[in-house]
Amino acid sequence: AKHDGKGMFHFFEPSLDVQARQRREMELDLRTAIREGGFELYFQPLYSLKEDRLKAFEALIRWPHPEKGMISPADFIPLAEDTGLIVQIGEWVIREACHQAASWPGDLSVAVNVSPKQFLSPNIAGVVMSALASSGLPATRLELEITESIFISNVEKTLGALHSLRALGVRIALDDFGTGYSSLSYLRSFPFDKLKIDQSFVRDLTQDASAHAVIRAITTLADALGMETLAEGVEDEAQAEILRKEGCRQIQGYWLSRPIDARATQQYIERMRGE
Ligand code: C2E
Ligand code: CA
Ligand code: CA
Ligand code: CA
């Protein structure tokens, strides 16, 4: 940004050439990271309000870039999707998440984000099956998260993948619920196990009574359809209390913990068990 002396900043949009070059560079760096194991998984706890206990962790990818520092998934997953590299990256995520979760005690599950292109790739069930087999993690302890954007692509292929994955015993959650394309008819015909209520609905809870009504409506709908509910982005106790009151089963968010690395996850589990 350049200061013009009148209290104004001018931002220069990089030219299309520069953008294209940056994308190409990032694509090459992604390929290197895939080849050399350059990604890491962080984990964030999912807590059951209903049972008052830790249920699972969501695996969230991190890319510690050798020169650029930590790159957030929001900044490279879209490019990975466009280039198709997401299929390989996502396969690593599933393997690593299952491997880590297999070392956790009890019946703690792991939730893994699967992007549309990966979910609709021909061998998704094979990848999941082999990750479960080589890690020894029971299928019932793996949950896959897909977003509503899956509905704009091939409905038949999506249903096929959903059914073959659920046949393995894996659970499927609909991520970012309420922000995208889903209609009530989709909810009836797609066998989801859980709705993850987007954090935008949670943010307004303490100011806005209509936000309560939305949460209540979603939990009532989910109950009727036999689906679980989880609220994302819970940042304080007041929000958690309202969610409990409105019938939401599970919560996730900074109030419980930020995403933490694998070692800190082990320590978190130890601490929770000690309480
Ligand atoms: P998401 O699946 O909706 O994940 C939740 C995001 O919200 C995470 O951001 C998490 O750090 C953040 N978050 C959690 N609690 C709170 C809170 O209390 N307040 C706020 N403001 N934010 C909170 P993150 O880790 O940067 O991931 C961003 C997105 O990148 C994810 O959104 C997901 O769509 C995608 N992503 C992450 N890991 C993977 C992956 O392994 N594969 C794929 N395909 N996508 C991934
Ligand atoms: Ca997610
Ligand atoms: Ca989400
Ligand atoms: Ca999101």
Side-chain angles (χ1 to χ4, degrees):
K2 195 174 143 203
H3 207 264
D4 70 357
K6 284 179 284 184
M8 297 277 285
F9 287 94
H10 295 290
F11 291 90
F12 295 99
E13 277 290 311
S15 72
L16 286 177
D17 266 19
V18 174
Q19 283 183 32
R21 202 174 61 231
Q22 285 170 345
R23 281 170 65 89
R24 264 199 311 278
E25 252 173 49
M26 188 182 264
E27 182 182 340
L28 288 176
D29 288 353
L30 277 176
R31 290 184 188 279
T32 307
I34 292 170
R35 216 171 38 240
E36 295 176 355
F39 299 107
E40 203 180 328
L41 286 187
Y42 272 45
F43 298 93
Q44 189 181 33
L46 277 56
Y47 191 85
S48 169
L49 292 171
K50 207 172 167 227
E51 299 165 46
D52 220 348
R53 70 182 184 99
L54 180 64
K55 292 289 281 189
F57 289 88
E58 176 175 359
L60 294 158
I61 196 169
R62 295 292 179 263
W63 183 15
H65 189 282
E67 291 124 42
K68 298 183 178 120
M70 198 63 99
I71 304 183
S72 136
D75 293 328
F76 70 90
I77 294 290
L79 181 66
E81 267 275 315
D82 290 351
T83 52
L85 293 173
I86 192 65
V87 176
Q88 280 162 277
I89 296 172
E91 182 169 341
W92 175 82
V93 171
I94 292 174
R95 288 187 177 285
E96 179 66 13
C98 290
H99 171 75
Q100 292 292 339
S103 77
W104 301 339
D107 57 359
L108 289 172
S109 297
V110 68
V112 177
N113 293 286
V114 179
S115 67
K117 198 171 263 179
Q118 183 191 3
F119 196 79
L120 297 173
S121 65
N123 195 30
I124 181 69
V127 166
V128 168
M129 223 177 341
S130 119
L132 291 171
S134 65
S135 64
L137 186 76
T140 50
R141 288 173 56 194
L142 176 63
E143 191 164 285
L144 301 179
E145 300 189 355
I146 58 178
T147 59
E148 294 168 307
S149 61
I150 197 97
F151 294 131
I152 55 174
S153 34
N154 192 322
V155 167
E156 240 153 69
K157 255 169 116 181
T158 304
L159 266 179
L162 272 170
H163 284 295
S164 57
L165 287 164
R166 289 184 91 233
L168 297 177
V170 168
R171 277 165 298 140
I172 313 281
L174 186 56
D175 203 355
D176 301 347
F177 179 71
T179 58
Y181 309 84
S182 59
S183 73
L184 297 178
S185 68
Y186 280 129
L187 283 189
R188 257 179 48 208
S189 33
F190 288 79
F192 296 112
D193 298 280
K194 183 191 279 185
L195 301 181
K196 293 191 79 174
I197 304 168
D198 190 69
Q199 53 191 51
S200 55
F201 297 102
V202 173
R203 212 173 296 138
D204 301 334
L205 275 181
T206 40
Q207 292 99 359
D208 184 353
S210 72
H212 293 219
V214 171
I215 298 287
R216 194 177 324 141
I218 296 174
T219 57
T220 305
L221 174 69
D223 284 347
L225 294 169
M227 296 175 189
E228 296 237 56
T229 43
L230 177 145
E232 299 189 285
V234 177
E235 295 187 352
D236 57 49
E237 188 170 7
Q239 292 170 336
E241 264 322 301
I242 295 167
L243 288 160
R244 187 198 301 272
K245 216 181 67 211
E246 301 301 354
C248 185
R249 304 261 191 101
Q250 299 183 8
I251 55 169
Q252 175 180 3
Y254 295 166
W255 182 52
L256 294 165
S257 167
R258 292 192 171 247
I260 48 180
D261 69 18
R263 180 201 284 266
T265 301
Q266 295 283 358
Q267 290 163 348
Y268 187 93
I269 295 169
E270 291 296 315
R271 256 200 333 272
M272 293 295 279
R273 284 163 48 108
E275 269 171 19

